[in-house]
Amino acid sequence: MTISADKVRQSLSDHVQVDAFDLVVDLERSQGSHLVDEVTGTTYLDFYTFFASCPLGLNPPQLAGAQFERRLLTAARNKPANSDAYTTYLAEFVETFARVAGDPRLPHLFFVEGGALAVENALKTAFDWKSRRNEAAGRSPELGMQVMHLTKAFHGRSGYTMSLTNTEPVKVARYPKFDWPRIDVPAITFPLEEHLDEVGAAEQHALQQARAAFERFPDDIACFLAEPIQSEGGDNHLRPQFLQAMQQLCREHNALFVLDEVQTGLGLTGTTWCYQQLGLEPDIVAFAKKAQVGGIMAGGRVDEVADNVFQVSSRINSTWGGGLADMVRSQALLEAIEETGAVQNAAAMGSVLLSQLQDLARRHPNTVSNARGRGLLCAIDLPDGQLRGQVLSRLFTDEHVLLLPCGDRSIRFRPILSVTEEDLTRATAALDRVLSSLTDSRGEG
């Protein structure tokens, strides 16, 4: 069966929800940051990148060529159970991941399909660890089944993770959830130096909440889980000092310190992992998106328990253990990221983008605020969600730029790691024009 591009949305709407971007991606003609609509031929500047999951954009040249295509076709033609039936392709991917993205302090790797399931298995690792520690100390192994987390967090929509996700109620409402301890996120308002007192007070409040939770649930909190920068919740940055204090609390109270780097990982913040800039030593890190396959890295205090999930067979597992075709693609992308210095480019271009957004805030002082970023993970705030919706709509229809909302009134930027300064300037100039047009019409110019 063949469906023409102009019939795609109609065909899909008969069976699935179709309420996103009004375009059909041309997978052959799109290149890098430039996404082509197969229906109209319009080219869009893509700062959406499939929810930050596309590290080098569409059709990166490093993934062209007969050798890669042959390997990918072989892996795609068959889908073995990676957890039990090993292949040279699997081994080569794992070695590449460990070399390019691995952390020697986190030697244990587990792969699965999707970010939510990555977080889910991080939690299972922590539950198992805490239960065994309790039992070894003569306490009940039934304890250790709670997860401390932050407000405005998004960790997925699977069984456990829905008890942690608390961004938009529609995403978790009417589903059963655990009542796990939740503390208020002490998000930074930028420029930090102008808000240091209020941020410091918010941090102390959150730390008091954390201490109270540990006291209320002795031996029952398996881990603290956080995104180093909350993404969907509003691109909320946290001071390293706060995360370091939470890490220390976890050590004092025998809980694991777990980071969700599903969106921040694999170079977007200017280092391979965001935590590497924050003076942190996590026990478990969850990843997905840019890795093209989900999973966790673990080590640290996990190894204090001899019979942890990496030593006891089938404590965590899945049939496919991550898809092999995804792993072949991931290996090629990781090699390209390494060879081209894409992470270093993300750091350099991130400074350019943040400077442009700060300049935009100066040009539109009544409209743009809280310009912030680490590497290419950048965002701004607008006065309200209504104006933000209008801005995003006009960027799409008039300027052919794809951007995403986050939080109540923020716009987030998620360019590819190899983005050019020219494309950054084009995006911020388009945003400048749209803001000028809309604020003039509202009498706010």
Side-chain angles (χ1 to χ4, degrees), residues 19 61 76 113 120 155 179-180 205 254 260 279 319 356 417 421:
D19 59 356
E113 300 197 19
E120 194 102 338
H155 294 293
D179 186 20
W180 287 334
H205 172 67
N254 290 315
D260 176 350
T319 297
Q356 292 178 347
L417 301 180
E421 185 171 350

Side-chain angles (χ1 to χ4, degrees), residues 38-71:
E38 193 171 351
V39 177
T40 65
T42 303
T43 298
Y44 292 84
L45 180 57
D46 179 19
F47 278 23
Y48 146 64
T49 60
F50 310 140
F51 293 102
S53 68
C54 193
L56 300 178
L58 287 172
N59 294 308
Q62 296 85 359
L63 270 65
Q67 181 180 4
F68 167 73
E69 291 176 359
R70 182 171 59 253
R71 285 172 55 83

Side-chain angles (χ1 to χ4, degrees), residues 179-198:
D179 186 20
W180 287 334
R182 180 174 296 168
I183 64 178
D184 295 321
V185 60
I188 302 171
T189 300
F190 292 88
L192 175 58
E193 58 270 18
E194 297 178 11
H195 301 273
L196 190 56
D197 289 344
E198 65 190 72

Side-chain angles (χ1 to χ4, degrees), residues 330-348:
S330 177
Q331 179 184 341
L333 287 168
L334 288 166
E335 291 169 345
I337 288 169
E338 180 181 42
E339 292 165 5
T340 63
V343 176
Q344 293 80 359
N345 184 73

